[in-house]
Structure formats: C-alpha cells, structure tokens
C-alpha cells in the first residue's frame, strides 16, 4: 500500500516521509498488535546470496512464531518500504549495486529512486515514521577502535539519541570500542539495558569485561522502562543488549585476537569510511572458518524472538496513540 504519511519527528515538527506499508504491517499497527522492525543491510551487505535471503525469511518467521508481525524495512522506488514482499527480499539479496543507506543517504536514495538497504539508523527512521517502537538487529554500530583520533563514530549512535525506537541487539559489534561507545550513549541520554547479565555483551561473546549501565531480567520489566522513558519530552531511543545464547557464543579472548588481526588487515589495506565494517565482518568470517557467520545468524534469530516478546509486553504495559505516544499510566512490572 503506497501512501505519503505525515509523521511527527522527535522535535515535534511535522515531516512528510513517503512510506509504502505492507498490508500485514498496516493491519497490525491499526489493530494494536505487536510489530518488530528488521533492517535490510544484512540482506544486501551482511551475507552472501542465497544465504542472505534464506536468513531474512527465517528471521521474519521467528518474529511471527513469537507473536509479532515482522516489518523488514528498505528504500525502493522513491519510498520507505515498511514490510517487504518475498519478491522484494529476493531483489535486495540478488542485486549487486544496492546502496547501503544511513541517515545522510536517505534523501539521495529517495530522490534517485535507488534500491537502498537500511542500516540501524535508517531502519529506526522508517520504523518511527510508521509508528513501530521495537527493532531487532544483530549488532549496532558505535565508536571505532582508534575513534578518539579518527572520529569514526557510527551514525547509529546519534540516531539512538534522537529517534524513539528501542533497538534489540547482541550489544555493539565487537570490532568496535565498547567502553567509548557506552560513554557516548550516556552523553546522548540513551538508556542501555542488558537482559539478564551484569556485563555488556560483545556481539559474538556473552561477556566483554565492561559493566552494563543497567540490568533487567524480563521483557515486562524492559517494556515498563521503555514506556516510562518515552514519557520524557523529546526522548530518543534505547539500546537493549541481549547476549548471544551460550551454545552459539565464541570465547571473548579468541574473538579479540581475531578482531585485532582483522583490524590490522584493514589498516594495511587502506580500508576507510563505511567500507570498514563490512570488510572486518567478512575478514572475521574468513579467519574463523565460518564460525562467526553461524554465530551472527544465531544471535539475529535470538534478538528477533526477544524483541517480539518485548513488543508484546509493551502493548500490555501502556496504552498507545496512533503516533506511538503513551496515553495512560503504566502498571508496575
């Protein structure tokens, strides 16, 4: 269903973002059923074809199996697609020149009618415009190692500070500087909650050696905290860190040695800018003999299931208006 929807941005201004909302997603939002947004960069840039398409469909199936409606987001034909058809997922996964679009690329992608996969930041923009509050991904971006001199900081972080969507991930990608990333999120006023652990997870590993800013132990507790956070005027998003299942995790020390080697290879190869993260992830897959890719798929599935539970709990925790604002008091968790 193609239509222009007028949506309030996080500063109370009115914007007109072209949205094409899949009927299944549209119906779920209208009826107040839980919806979970999913990014599309993992389809176009995260895995080889056809594994990327298979994984995308499986993750959507995980969301449905856990009581929510999936809304994979991309930019196609001059609009944000909120929920993709099977044909559109195939198109994203099997097209070679898909643009990887962060916030700065959105206008160019829309005006040029480009096929663009959404990063964490851009998925948040589309989700918020459609009224979706929960988003599941693998790992978020952050401050790169050496970021204190390079100023290489992911656009995901300021987006979390401005856009009211909760991102469920296995922590920030372990190729990044976790400590500095958490410090930056604190400056932006972004709540960071780890589910069931006192340590912030390191993507492939359950532990990072870095204490989590906050720990909660159930989807209901997390939903209550989110609903309360969004009563703050101009509140942005939140980061919910969900550690990778123990059976799929890779030991932190083992992964750290692999990452250090991959970072060195990137520097020696002159890899810079937005090419750094895809290069490092590919190189880590090579160095681990595919073990990291299997872990990546497992944690994405795990996050999709957990985000679905939080989305369901959020609908029970507070009443919501059509634009996603809480409209009644929040019962205790």
């Amino acid at each position: 269903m193609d239509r222009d929807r007028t949506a309030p941005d996080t500063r109370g201004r009115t914007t007109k973002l072209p949205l094409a909302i899949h009927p299944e997603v549209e119906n779920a939002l209208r009826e107040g059923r839980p919806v979970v947004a999913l990014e599309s960069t993992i389809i176009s840039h995260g895995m080889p074809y056809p594994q990327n398409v298979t994984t995308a469909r499986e993750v959507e199936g995980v969301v449905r199996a856990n009581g929510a409606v999936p809304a994979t987001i991309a930019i196609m034909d001059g609009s944000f697609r909120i929920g993709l058809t099977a044909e559109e997922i195939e198109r994203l996964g099997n097209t070679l020149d898909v643009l990887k679009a962060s916030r700065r690329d959105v206008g160019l992608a829309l005006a040029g009618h480009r096929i663009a996969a959404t990063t964490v930041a851009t998925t948040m923009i589309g989700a918020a415009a459609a009224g979706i509050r929960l988003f599941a991904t693998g790992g978020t971006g952050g401050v790169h190692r050496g970021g204190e001199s390079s100023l290489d900081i992911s656009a995901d972080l300021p987006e979390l500070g401005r856009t009211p969507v909760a991102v469920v991930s296995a922590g920030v990608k372990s190729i990044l500087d976790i400590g500095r990333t958490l410090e930056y999120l604190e400056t932006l006023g972004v709540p960071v909650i780890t589910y069931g652990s006192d340590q912030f997870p390191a993507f492939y590993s359950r532990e990072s050696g870095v204490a989590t800013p906050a720990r909660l132990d159930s989807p209901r507790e997390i939903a209550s905290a989110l609903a309360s956070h969004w009563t703050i005027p101009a509140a942005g998003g939140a980061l919910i860190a969900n550690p990778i299942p123990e059976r799929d995790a890779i030991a932190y020390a083992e992964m750290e040695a692999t990452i250090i080697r991959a970072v060195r290879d990137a520097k020696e190869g002159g890899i810079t800018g937005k090419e750094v993260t895809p290069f490092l992830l590919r190189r880590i897959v090579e160095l681990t003999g595919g073990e990291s890719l299997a872990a990546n798929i497992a944690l994405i599935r795990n996050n999709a299931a957990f985000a679905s539970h939080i989305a369901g709990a959020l609908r029970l925790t507070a009443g919501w208006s059509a634009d996603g604002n809480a409209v009644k008091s929040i019962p205790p968790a």
Side-chain angles (χ1 to χ4, degrees):
M1 179 186 300
D2 288 331
R3 69 175 186 174
D4 285 346
R5 168 178 287 188
T6 301
D9 71 10
T10 60
R11 305 303 173 195
R13 298 168 299 200
T14 298
T15 61
K16 195 158 188 171
L17 191 68
L19 303 179
I21 304 179
H22 191 286
E24 181 188 18
V25 177
E26 182 81 26
N27 290 336
L29 291 170
R30 185 186 308 113
E31 295 165 6
R33 291 184 283 126
V35 178
V36 173
L38 302 168
E39 67 165 284
S40 49
T41 294
I42 189 174
I43 304 172
S44 62
H45 294 77
M47 297 178 188
Y49 180 83
Q51 190 174 28
N52 54 356
V53 172
T54 300
T55 299
R57 290 173 177 165
E58 288 176 351
V59 172
E60 288 196 340
V62 169
V63 172
R64 289 193 177 93
N66 285 276
V69 173
T72 302
I73 295 177
I75 296 173
M76 290 182 172
D77 305 320
S79 66
F80 266 88
R81 301 286 170 145
I82 312 297
L84 301 181
T85 65
E87 293 75 17
E88 287 168 338
I89 290 176
E90 181 75 25
R91 183 181 173 193
L92 266 175
N94 200 22
T95 300
L96 296 179
D97 61 345
V98 174
L99 175 68
K100 180 181 177 182
S102 192
R103 173 176 273 270
R104 70 172 185 181
D105 309 302
V106 169
L108 294 169
L110 291 172
H113 285 240
R114 294 284 303 275
I115 301 176
T118 54
T119 63
V120 168
T122 319
T123 303
M124 291 179 71
I125 294 169
I132 301 169
R133 288 286 192 159
L134 264 293
F135 162 31
T137 187
T140 56
V143 179
H144 276 263
R145 300 183 185 210
E148 67 276 14
S149 56
S150 69
L151 297 182
D152 191 351
I153 300 171
S154 171
D156 297 350
L157 301 189
E159 204 64 51
L160 278 162
R162 66 163 67 97
T163 302
V165 172
V167 179
V168 178
S169 73
V172 299
K173 296 181 176 73
S174 50
I175 58 177
L176 304 172
D177 187 322
I178 293 174
R180 284 190 169 90
T181 297
L182 295 181
E183 290 286 351
Y184 192 67
L185 288 171
E186 179 185 8
T187 300
L188 295 173
V190 177
V192 177
I193 300 167
T194 298
Y195 171 60
S197 176
D198 295 323
Q199 284 198 41
F200 190 81
F203 196 61
Y204 302 113
S205 309
R206 291 179 60 82
E207 298 177 345
S208 65
V210 179
T212 183
R215 168 181 173 164
L216 292 175
D217 295 318
S218 73
R220 179 64 182 277
E221 288 179 298
I222 294 170
S224 182
L226 291 173
S228 295
H229 170 64
W230 287 322
T231 64
I232 301 170
L239 178 59
I240 311 301
N242 182 34
I244 184 173
E246 192 167 353
R247 65 181 179 275
D248 302 305
I250 302 173
Y252 178 74
E254 177 184 342
M255 277 307 305
E256 185 65 12
T258 301
I259 290 166
I260 289 171
R261 180 175 172 185
V263 169
R264 185 184 66 228
D265 292 346
K267 288 181 178 178
E268 292 176 353
I271 308 298
T272 60
K274 66 180 182 179
E275 300 303 321
V276 172
T277 296
F279 173 86
L280 291 177
L281 294 177
R282 287 194 303 270
R283 185 65 178 132
I284 289 168
V285 170
E286 294 171 1
L287 293 172
T288 62
E291 186 180 6
S292 65
L293 180 58
N296 196 358
I297 294 171
L299 64 85
I300 291 168
R301 293 172 60 92
N302 189 49
N303 294 339
F306 192 55
S308 301
H309 295 159
I310 298 172
L314 186 63
R315 290 292 175 180
L316 297 174
T317 297
W320 298 91
S321 66
D323 63 2
N325 292 315
V327 295
K328 69 179 182 181
S329 61
I330 304 159

